């Protein structure tokens, strides 16, 4: 019998997870036997050179891609055992995504971009209004909720994307180079916002980055090189 209390289970757990691409006879090894745990409330910077496997790791974690060997557990689920529908459900309920190039819908207003994931989850506009406006306010865009993404700065667009990731109150937010397309100062404002959201909402963040600032300010740093975990430490 498993007597381990539920709350001590990690939010995510990878066990010797490997991923390679291309011709099996001559594969590119993107990740080599990654074993790591992520716990609720963590704020992790995933660092490492270009091509080291950061995006691949995030994709495995979020069930967007599957390992060729090893296992990924997310919120008590062995991802290999979920069918596509169950995986899509888990993603829709529990994971928010933030990308380097924002990926906003250009013809929709800020409000509707943030509402979008709730719409997909079956909420009507009027039902969602309070949560949408609340998170838009939290990311500092209340004056701009009627604008379209094209009428906003890069940093403001990334705030919209962060609001969209957080609106359904996910347990985990996966961000792939969220400051990669922003100047240093704007990037730092986004880092402040992500840290504040981690503090306030207790959302867990794992964020791939080339930013030394984010690396210094994250609670935990996971450093990968050539598909392997090179270092894993808590910032003082
Ligand atoms: N779809 C793909 N097909 C073939 N090879 C891929 C594919 N995606 C990634 N790779 C390879 O896997 C390795 C890891 O790539 P990944 O995108 O995870 O790196 P990264 O750390 O995110 O890099 P960057 O910092 O440039 O975003 C690289 O060698 C890359 O070329
Ligand atoms: Mg990447």
């Amino acid at each position: 019998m498993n007597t381990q209390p539920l709350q001590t289970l990690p939010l995510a757990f990878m066990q010797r997870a490997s991923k390679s691409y291309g011709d099996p006879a001559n594969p590119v090894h993107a990740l080599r036997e990654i074993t790591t745990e992520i716990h609720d409330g963590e704020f992790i910077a995933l660092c490492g050179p270009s091509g080291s496997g950061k995006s691949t790791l995030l994709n495995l974690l979020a069930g967007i891609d599957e390992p060729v060997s090893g296992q990924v557990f997310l919120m008590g689920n062995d991802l290999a055992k979920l069918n596509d529908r169950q995986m899509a459900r888990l993603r829709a309920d529990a994971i928010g995504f933030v990308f380097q190039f924002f990926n906003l819908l250009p013809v929709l207003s800020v409000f509707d971009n943030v509402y979008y994931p709730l719409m997909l989850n079956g909420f009507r506009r009027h039902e969602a209004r309070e949560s949408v406006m609340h998170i838009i306010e939290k990311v500092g865009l209340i004056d701009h909720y009627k604008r379209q993404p094209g009428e906003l700065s890069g940093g403001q667009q990334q705030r919209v994307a962060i609001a969209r990731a957080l609106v359904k109150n996910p347990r985990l937010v996966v961000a792939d180079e969220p400051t990669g397309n922003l100047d240093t100062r704007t990037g730092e404002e986004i880092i402040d916002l992500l840290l504040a959201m981690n503090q306030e909402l207790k959302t867990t963040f794992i964020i791939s980055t080339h930013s030394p600032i984010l690396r210094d300010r994250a609670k935990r740093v996971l450093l990968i090189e050539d598909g392997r975990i090179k270092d894993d430490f808590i910032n003082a």
Side-chain angles (χ1 to χ4, degrees):
M1 195 172 85
N2 184 0
T3 54
Q4 194 181 27
L6 215 59
Q7 62 268 29
T8 68
L9 284 176
L11 186 159
F13 177 44
M14 293 181 120
Q15 186 158 260
R16 301 181 68 176
S18 297
K19 174 74 190 175
S20 44
Y21 291 104
D23 179 2
N26 189 17
V28 175
H29 296 290
L31 289 179
R32 304 166 194 255
E33 304 208 335
I34 298 283
T35 297
T36 194
E37 289 182 7
I38 297 173
H39 292 273
D40 277 304
E42 284 198 302
F43 189 100
I44 304 171
L46 177 59
C47 303
S50 185
S52 57
K54 300 182 296 297
S55 297
T56 307
L57 193 153
L58 294 181
N59 289 343
L60 293 194
L61 200 59
I64 291 168
D65 209 345
E66 292 172 18
V68 289
S69 61
Q71 288 168 294
V72 183
F73 293 89
L74 187 62
M75 301 167 201
N77 301 281
D78 178 349
L79 297 191
K81 298 202 170 120
L82 301 184
N83 63 32
D84 288 353
R85 248 189 59 207
Q86 291 168 319
M87 189 63 240
R89 187 75 260 152
L90 181 62
R91 265 200 302 271
D93 288 341
I95 311 178
F97 294 93
V98 179
F99 306 96
Q100 181 174 359
F101 297 106
F102 324 135
N103 295 15
L104 301 172
L105 293 164
V107 298
L108 297 187
S109 65
V110 167
F111 181 95
D112 283 316
N113 268 284
V114 176
Y115 164 53
Y116 193 72
L118 293 182
M119 185 195 82
L120 295 181
N121 282 6
F123 289 90
R124 303 272 198 76
R125 225 161 167 273
H126 69 272
E127 293 170 327
R129 188 173 173 83
E130 202 180 312
S131 346
V132 172
M133 290 306 276
H134 180 71
I135 198 73
I136 288 176
E137 202 231 308
K138 284 233 172 286
V139 302
L141 288 178
I142 202 70
D143 294 339
H144 301 318
Y145 76 97
K146 289 183 177 167
R147 291 202 192 175
Q148 290 187 345
E151 301 167 323
L152 299 173
S153 70
Q156 289 171 331
Q157 291 185 53
Q158 195 58 301
R159 286 171 188 274
V160 179
I162 291 165
R164 178 185 58 185
L166 290 170
V167 71
K168 60 194 180 183
N169 204 12
R171 232 169 116 186
L172 174 67
V173 169
V174 169
D176 200 354
E177 297 194 39
T179 64
N181 198 36
L182 303 172
D183 63 79
T184 310
R185 219 191 99 210
T186 310
E188 214 163 347
E189 287 168 10
I190 292 297
I191 294 166
D192 286 337
L193 175 65
L194 294 170
L195 282 162
M197 295 297 101
N198 168 252
Q199 196 78 19
E200 253 183 83
L201 309 173
K202 309 294 172 211
T203 313
T204 307
F205 285 85
I206 179 162
I207 307 170
S208 87
T209 188
H210 291 279
S211 158
I213 301 166
L214 181 46
R215 178 182 165 142
D216 286 348
R217 296 191 59 199
K219 293 179 188 163
R220 174 179 165 199
V221 177
L222 203 55
L223 177 64
I224 62 172
E225 268 181 42
D226 198 20
R228 292 189 179 89
I229 295 183
K230 190 74 190 295
D231 208 350
D232 183 355
F233 59 91
I234 305 293
N235 267 329

